[in-house]
Amino acid sequence: MQTILGSNGQIGYELANELYQNYTKELRLVGRHPQKIHDTDQVVVADLTDADQAFQAIQGSDVVYFTVGLPMDTSVWEAQFLQITENVIQAAIKSNAKLAFFDNTYMYQKDATPQTETSPFLPVGRKSVIRAKMATRLFEAMTNEGLEAVIGRAPEFYGPDRTQGITNGMVFDRIKAGERPQIPVSDTALRTFIWTPDASRALALLGNTPDTYGQTWHLPVAPGALMSRLWTGFFGTERCRTPKIFQNPDFSLKRRDFWVFL
């Protein structure tokens, strides 16, 4: 049995399809309002902020995938994410289940320094601090408490269907709605993105490869690109005008940040 926590999100949805097609038909989908994706799926309603419900959701699993998302509300992250992480860690240990944890890069230094699996945590901002604490707690449990876990870390993602993220929300969703896309961009910094189906395939591979455990892995991405050149090349077509870059003093980014309006 392989269990996906947060199965309603885009990563969880695509992960379920990847696991079903290539690894196992025994899937358990967990969330506040989970829905079957395949006829054979088990569906478990659970509030992971409750330790007992987290244990019941995980018990009997061989591998558990953490793809849990919360609303982009800092106070909600601070109130719930660390509690959810702790409950999942304890439930995985008690159930003797492996944990494949989908993580982001919020905890890294926010500059042009290339990010690797050994990059130090230098969080800036309340959400970044929360993600750094979550990852640190995982390392502690892996080192001292017998948790068998692997961390797959991904940068900003974009993708099809229900994908939620800055790139989808501010670019592709606006184009689909006939609106002008807007892109916050540092013109001099390289940016790296991941396509959600690639992220899900990579996490499934990590979860089903025994010698990946006990480590952090950066999920595979295309080479980084200067944002201005990337979007100029992408949108400079017959259907989309070449973007113009100018500073937006009304947006709450640092001075070096810009918007691209197309």
Side-chain angles (χ1 to χ4, degrees):
M1 175 65 67
Q2 299 201 12
T3 295
I4 302 173
L5 307 178
S7 60
N8 276 356
Q10 185 67 17
I11 297 296
Y13 176 84
E14 291 173 352
L15 175 61
N17 282 326
E18 175 68 15
L19 292 173
Y20 187 86
Q21 292 170 15
N22 294 306
Y23 297 98
T24 181
K25 300 294 191 290
E26 295 184 43
L27 295 177
R28 180 184 297 162
L29 309 183
V30 179
R32 291 179 182 269
H33 307 285
Q35 297 179 350
K36 276 191 174 186
I37 300 172
H38 317 97
D39 290 340
T40 57
D41 293 343
Q42 283 188 21
V43 174
V44 174
V45 176
D47 175 359
L48 297 176
T49 63
D50 182 277
D52 290 336
Q53 292 186 47
F55 177 73
Q56 292 299 322
I58 289 172
Q59 188 177 30
S61 304
D62 299 307
V63 182
V64 177
Y65 298 88
F66 187 104
T67 65
V68 177
L70 291 176
M72 291 297 288
D73 181 321
T74 302
S75 61
V76 174
W77 281 38
E78 291 173 334
Q80 297 186 16
F81 248 148
L82 289 174
Q83 185 62 59
I84 290 171
T85 302
E86 186 63 32
N87 290 344
V88 169
I89 287 171
Q90 296 305 323
I93 293 172
K94 292 177 183 177
S95 302
N96 197 30
K98 296 179 180 179
L99 177 63
F101 190 93
F102 184 73
D103 204 1
N104 61 29
T105 59
Y106 282 26
M107 68 290 295
Y108 291 145
Q109 187 170 342
K110 293 175 172 55
D111 61 14
T113 304
Q115 298 172 350
T116 71
E117 288 87 345
T118 59
S119 294
F121 290 178
L122 298 169
V124 176
R126 291 161 62 189
K127 288 188 178 72
S128 298
V129 169
I130 291 296
R131 296 302 305 202
K133 288 181 177 180
M134 291 166 66
T136 299
R137 179 67 188 102
L138 280 168
F139 293 146
E140 292 173 351
M142 291 160 65
T143 302
N144 302 319
E145 299 171 42
L147 176 68
E148 191 170 2
V150 59
I151 297 173
R153 192 164 285 149
E156 167 70 17
F157 51 74
Y158 67 103
D161 304 324
R162 68 189 78 187
T163 301
Q164 296 182 0
I166 294 173
T167 304
N168 270 71
M170 298 175 65
V171 180
F172 301 118
D173 291 348
R174 291 179 65 87
I175 291 173
K176 288 166 63 177
E179 301 173 353
R180 300 175 77 190
Q182 303 173 352
I183 307 166
V185 55
S186 176
D187 191 38
T188 60
L190 293 173
R191 289 290 306 277
T192 303
F193 298 89
I194 193 166
W195 176 243
T196 52
D198 290 343
S200 299
R201 284 195 291 268
L203 189 65
L205 178 61
L206 289 177
N208 287 279
T209 306
D211 60 4
T212 65
Y213 283 82
Q215 303 172 70
T216 296
W217 299 80
H218 281 188
L219 304 185
V221 295
L226 288 174
M227 285 296 294
S228 58
R229 295 178 185 174
L230 176 65
W231 295 114
T232 298
F234 186 81
F235 289 110
T237 66
E238 294 180 0
R239 296 183 61 187
C240 297
R241 291 182 291 124
T242 300
K244 297 179 181 180
I245 302 175
F246 64 93
Q247 192 167 8
N248 181 350
D250 297 324
F251 189 71
S252 58
L253 293 174
K254 296 180 180 179
R255 287 185 180 179
R256 66 174 179 269
D257 293 314
F258 296 81
W259 285 97
V260 175
F261 288 84
L262 301 108

